[in-house]
Amino acid sequence: MKQDFFDFLEERDYSLSYKMPFMLSFFKNVNSIGDANIEEVLNDYIAFYEDRIERGLPVDRPSCPYNAETLKDRKLIKSNMLTNPFEKFERKRFLYHSKDLDVISMNHALFARMEEADFQRVREQMLEDIR
């Protein structure tokens, strides 16, 4: 599963940037058992796009629905985040969403095999691909 995870990331299938800030936000907020509070992930996810707007940078491709107004609608952005990019990771069984606990969890078999160097590798790839 770990190899599948890295193979999936290496595909660099980015029609929009969603996967990159999502993974960075998830890894920033993940705890010692592989869970991250969805609201904290959402905060950082939104902050990524708000920062781009504040710095006068393109948010993404012109077709991206994120702008200063839509980013204020947390319900819309959360729904969008769970549809794309989260769903792409969920479909491959790398991540799960627990609505009752309001957490996003990494598959525990995958999380158990991840080392700090693996998390750093993902972070570096996401930052490089954002650039």
Side-chain angles (χ1 to χ4, degrees):
M1 179 170 273
K2 181 177 172 182
Q3 188 59 51
D4 286 345
F5 178 69
F6 281 101
D7 289 346
F8 176 71
L9 293 178
E10 283 297 321
E11 290 174 10
R12 290 177 154 91
D13 180 16
Y14 307 127
S15 56
L16 293 167
S17 69
Y18 302 145
K19 287 179 189 169
M20 296 168 277
F22 172 74
M23 287 307 294
L24 289 168
S25 299
F26 175 74
F27 281 164
K28 178 180 176 186
N29 291 286
V30 73
N31 65 18
S32 62
I33 61 169
D35 296 344
N37 178 284
I38 195 166
E39 293 302 320
E40 292 173 9
V41 173
L42 183 63
N43 287 341
D44 290 328
Y45 183 76
I46 291 170
F48 170 83
Y49 291 103
E50 287 175 335
D51 178 64
R52 293 191 62 81
I53 290 170
E54 288 172 15
R55 294 189 301 146
L57 298 171
V59 173
D60 201 298
R61 294 185 179 153
S63 62
C64 180
Y66 296 164
N67 58 48
E69 283 306 307
T70 58
L71 288 170
K72 292 176 186 173
D73 185 345
R74 290 181 62 83
K75 185 175 179 182
L76 171 73
I77 302 302
K78 182 177 181 179
S79 174
N80 192 42
M81 183 181 78
L82 288 171
T83 302
N84 182 23
F86 170 79
E87 189 273 333
K88 307 296 185 241
F89 292 96
E90 182 182 46
R91 188 179 330 143
K92 302 283 279 177
R93 300 179 193 234
F94 301 137
L95 300 178
Y96 299 94
H97 175 219
S98 171
K99 293 176 184 159
D100 294 339
L101 300 175
D102 216 20
V103 298
I104 296 173
S105 302
M106 181 172 267
N107 177 302
H108 290 168
L110 172 59
F111 187 78
R113 288 167 182 75
M114 295 285 286
E115 298 175 12
E116 184 51 40
D118 296 319
F119 289 108
Q120 189 58 34
R121 176 180 163 193
V122 173
R123 285 184 202 100
E124 288 173 5
Q125 178 184 329
M126 296 298 105
L127 290 170
E128 176 186 319
D129 292 349
I130 285 171
R131 278 191 284 287

